[in-house]
Amino acid sequence: DTAVSQTPKYLVTQMGNDKSIKCEQNLGHDTMYWYKQDSKKFLKIMFSYNNKELIINETVPNRFSPKSPDKAHLNLHINSLELGDSAVYFCASSQMGSPLHFGNGTRLTVT
Amino acid sequence: SQQGEEDPQALSIQEGENATMNCSYKTSINNLQWYRQNSGRGLVHLILIRSNEREKHSGRLRVTLDTSKKSSSLLITASRAADTASYFCATDAGESQGNLIFGKGTKLSVKP
């Protein structure tokens, strides 16, 4: 029983393409997140989202957009991919005030 | 801006030895959390210490927090090869729920 699952695990694509990463959590948490981990292992929040509020890190380009069809899902859409978007993207979820539960990541490689 | 900074960046020890990792941060926090990341995997929460706590234990883990120095340490006692992983501290300043600010991590290698 995977608590936070994201697909695909690996994504290789060319510059300029549009891609999506899917995330689902079965923990009943009310908040979901997307984090980006760069090649130096630095982890940075991109978005947090619950039913009421989307909080966007102001440094995230508007080519990135989260879409939540329901409370258990938060997908990440990326338009016009650039070389610098190559990274590992992690989905996570939590209940208010509790630690985060992470998925196993999606390694995105833009060529 | 980045909040947490772990020290050292890398640590190599023998099985059975203790491992100590340090974390410094810049602003006031509600709590500080430690996570472990095995290679190719997501982060796993280890322990949370609140700003009004000074020390916390969980199994072989011991975490201390000094809010006056804005620093925390994670001690792993009697290390095992399975403890090999990267360890991250993350601070919760309470500005946005779950908006944890992570450090760059300490890569721990435990040799059998």
Side-chain angles (χ1 to χ4, degrees), chain A residues 85-99:
Chain A
D85 297 333
S86 295
V88 182
Y89 292 84
F90 286 97
C91 177
S93 71
S94 76
Q95 202 68 343
M96 173 80 74
S98 296

Side-chain angles (χ1 to χ4, degrees), chain A residues 42-99:
Chain A
F42 181 45
L43 202 68
K44 192 171 184 180
I45 189 166
M46 301 176 71
F47 306 100
S48 66
Y49 183 78
N50 60 27
N51 284 337
K52 300 175 185 176
E53 189 177 17
L54 171 66
I55 299 174
I56 302 171
N57 185 321
E58 64 275 8
T59 65
V60 175
N62 57 15
R63 298 181 294 103
F64 290 79
S65 57
K67 293 208 175 13
S68 180
D70 56 58
K71 184 179 169 181
H73 296 83
L74 184 66
N75 303 325
L76 182 64
H77 296 269
I78 316 169
N79 295 326
S80 302
L81 278 156
E82 300 177 358
L83 291 176
D85 297 333
S86 295
V88 182
Y89 292 84
F90 286 97
C91 177
S93 71
S94 76
Q95 202 68 343
M96 173 80 74
S98 296

Side-chain angles (χ1 to χ4, degrees), chain A residues 9 30-31 33 35 37 40-43 45 48 50 55 90 94-100 102-105, chain B residues 2 31 33 35 37 39-45 48 50 86 88 92 96-105:
Chain A
K9 186 172 175 64
D30 53 21
T31 306
Y33 314 84
Y35 278 81
Q37 187 173 45
K40 296 183 179 179
K41 299 289 189 182
F42 181 45
L43 202 68
I45 189 166
S48 66
N50 60 27
I55 299 174
F90 286 97
S94 76
Q95 202 68 343
M96 173 80 74
S98 296
L100 270 59
F102 283 84
N104 282 326
Chain B
Q2 185 180 336
N31 64 68
Q33 303 175 31
Y35 288 79
Q37 183 179 31
S39 180
R41 309 281 291 190
L43 281 75
V44 175
H45 173 75
L48 180 154
R50 302 192 188 283
S86 291
F88 294 86
D92 181 357
S96 296
Q97 181 197 337
N99 187 2
L100 298 181
I101 308 298
F102 284 84
K104 290 184 180 178

